Amino acid sequence: MAGTVIITAANSSLAIPAVQHLLAKFPDYTAVLTVRDTTDNDINTKKLRATIAKVPNARASIHQLDLAKLSAVNEFADGIAEKIQNGSLPPLASLICNAYYWNLVGEAETTVDGYEKSIQVSHLAHAALIFRLLGSFGSEGGRIVLFASDAHFPGKNGLEKYPPTLPDDLELLVKPGPDKPVDNLGRGFQRYANSKLAVVTWLYALNRYLEKEPKLGKITAVAINPGNLTDSRALRTKTPMMLVILSRFVFPLFRPLLRFMDPTMRSSAEAGIDVIDLATEKSHPHQRGYFTLLKEDVSAPETLHETKQQDLWEKTLQWTKTTL
């Protein structure tokens, strides 16, 4: 089944090898790749453009998209929907929600929409994109790939100091108060973990919605924990010097030992291949749910509470100003 594949943050450590795998192994697909900066002033966008250039007759285009602005997300989605409707693009086959945001060296940041930035980029913006593009999938359905992390599961990530949790008042998820105590690394990581907890919890409500809608029943949604990517640039972006040193000098040297200790430790390229195989349904066709690498897994207990899933679903519709 060919069609359009959208990848957000397509110039990331994981996404560039994912794009390479998609274009080389699935040439019938059309890749729509979003980045914050489409110019070669961004070295990573330049690498993405070079990756595309290596594949003859690649069906790929790069588009600017700032997920920290819901108006930009809506405008982009509406433009894609129009192109699919008029035949400029083939029907949507997959939406890969790869982008994320964290800040482990500063206090909470607020977007122009008034929401905490980690939750907006990782969850709200992708939800808005999905809501607006559900009608653009082809008659054969397709797949939505959300990104999880072991950080969403309390006690599973070594950077955790404050366990992730969905507050009883969900407004505090998108509009948290001041950090108490002030702890940039601990609270910054908790905000990131909370955003991933929200992504996975919302996944189950999304799949229920898809299954009950006759025209959407062939669309499947999955969340993948791609593993702890030891070569990811994320470890050197808005992180303390400790993580920068570990990622540059320690992880490359001790990668085999680290993988022995934690089987999810791997390279971004390995994860990128898995993501594309899930997105194209080469792996686990027609299945839904949560995966660690390419293995079906059980997500954190809090994500499995149906009431919390539904509450978050309804609040997400409200936050993104969406009516289905």
Side-chain angles (χ1 to χ4, degrees):
M1 178 187 69
T4 296
V5 176
I6 297 175
I7 305 177
T8 64
N11 59 358
S12 70
S13 301
L14 180 152
I16 289 178
V19 169
Q20 183 178 19
H21 182 62
L22 174 66
L23 298 180
K25 300 298 182 181
F26 302 92
D28 291 339
Y29 286 82
T30 299
V32 172
L33 311 172
T34 79
V35 297
R36 284 194 305 272
D37 183 354
T38 59
T39 73
D40 284 349
N41 292 329
D42 186 316
I43 188 173
N44 300 308
T45 299
K46 189 174 183 179
K47 289 179 182 177
L48 174 63
R49 191 167 281 113
T51 298
I52 296 170
K54 292 177 183 177
V55 181
N57 303 313
R59 300 180 182 182
S61 56
I62 299 174
H63 304 256
Q64 184 173 17
L65 178 59
D66 184 355
L67 295 174
K69 296 179 181 178
L70 289 177
S71 60
V73 175
N74 294 339
E75 183 179 352
F76 169 78
D78 291 345
I80 294 297
E82 183 178 355
K83 288 179 180 179
I84 290 173
Q85 186 174 22
N86 66 28
S88 301
L89 282 174
L92 192 59
S94 183
L95 181 49
I96 302 175
C97 301
N98 170 59
Y100 90 103
Y101 182 81
W102 71 6
N103 184 348
L104 308 187
V105 293
E107 297 181 12
E109 298 171 75
T110 302
T111 68
V112 295
D113 300 294
Y115 301 130
E116 192 277 315
K117 193 171 183 179
S118 295
I119 191 71
Q120 174 156 335
V121 173
S122 295
H123 172 55
L124 295 181
H126 286 135
L129 196 60
I130 291 165
F131 288 145
R132 285 181 174 259
L133 288 174
L134 285 176
S136 297
F137 278 84
S139 59
E140 296 181 30
R143 174 156 277 172
I144 297 165
V145 180
L146 305 176
F147 275 67
S149 164
D150 65 0
H152 94 279
F153 204 122
K156 286 205 172 182
N157 192 289
L159 289 177
E160 178 188 304
K161 187 173 180 180
Y162 308 103
T165 187
L166 296 177
D168 292 334
D169 180 0
L170 287 174
E171 285 295 327
L172 295 174
L173 187 64
V174 297
K175 298 181 179 181
D179 291 342
K180 295 181 181 179
V182 175
D183 180 350
N184 292 338
L185 175 57
R187 293 302 181 187
F189 189 78
Q190 185 185 40
R191 286 190 288 273
Y192 164 75
N194 282 346
S195 73
K196 294 302 184 181
L197 179 62
V199 166
V200 179
T201 303
W202 186 78
L203 163 77
Y204 297 104
L206 172 61
N207 271 321
R208 274 200 305 276
Y209 176 77
L210 295 173
E211 288 179 289
K212 75 178 183 180
E213 293 293 323
K215 293 183 179 180
L216 304 177
K218 292 183 180 180
I219 304 171
T220 60
V222 298
I224 180 174
N225 166 16
N228 290 308
L229 310 181
T230 56
D231 60 348
S232 174
R233 294 194 311 273
L235 298 173
R236 304 188 292 275
T237 305
K238 292 188 179 293
T239 59
M241 186 55 64
M242 169 195 70
L243 272 181
V244 176
I245 292 172
L246 286 172
S247 68
R248 287 190 180 278
F249 304 108
V250 178
F251 291 161
L253 186 61
F254 293 100
R255 186 172 290 146
L257 177 61
L258 292 170
R259 182 172 291 200
F260 177 77
M261 297 169 61
D262 177 1
T264 72
M265 288 272 190
R266 60 176 181 163
S267 70
S268 299
E270 292 173 289
I273 291 171
D274 283 355
V275 167
I276 294 302
D277 286 351
L278 268 180
T280 58
E281 296 197 87
K282 176 184 178 181
S283 177
H284 301 285
H286 315 303
Q287 289 185 243
R288 309 170 190 267
Y290 177 75
F291 293 81
T292 295
L293 312 189
L294 284 183
K295 295 181 180 178
E296 292 182 77
D297 205 351
V298 178
S299 55
E302 191 170 9
T303 68
L304 304 178
H305 293 184
E306 190 168 329
T307 299
K308 291 189 176 185
Q309 297 165 3
Q310 194 60 33
D311 287 348
L312 183 59
W313 173 263
E314 292 172 3
K315 292 297 288 187
T316 300
L317 288 168
Q318 177 185 323
W319 292 325
T320 57
K321 297 179 172 61
T322 301
T323 301
L324 293 177

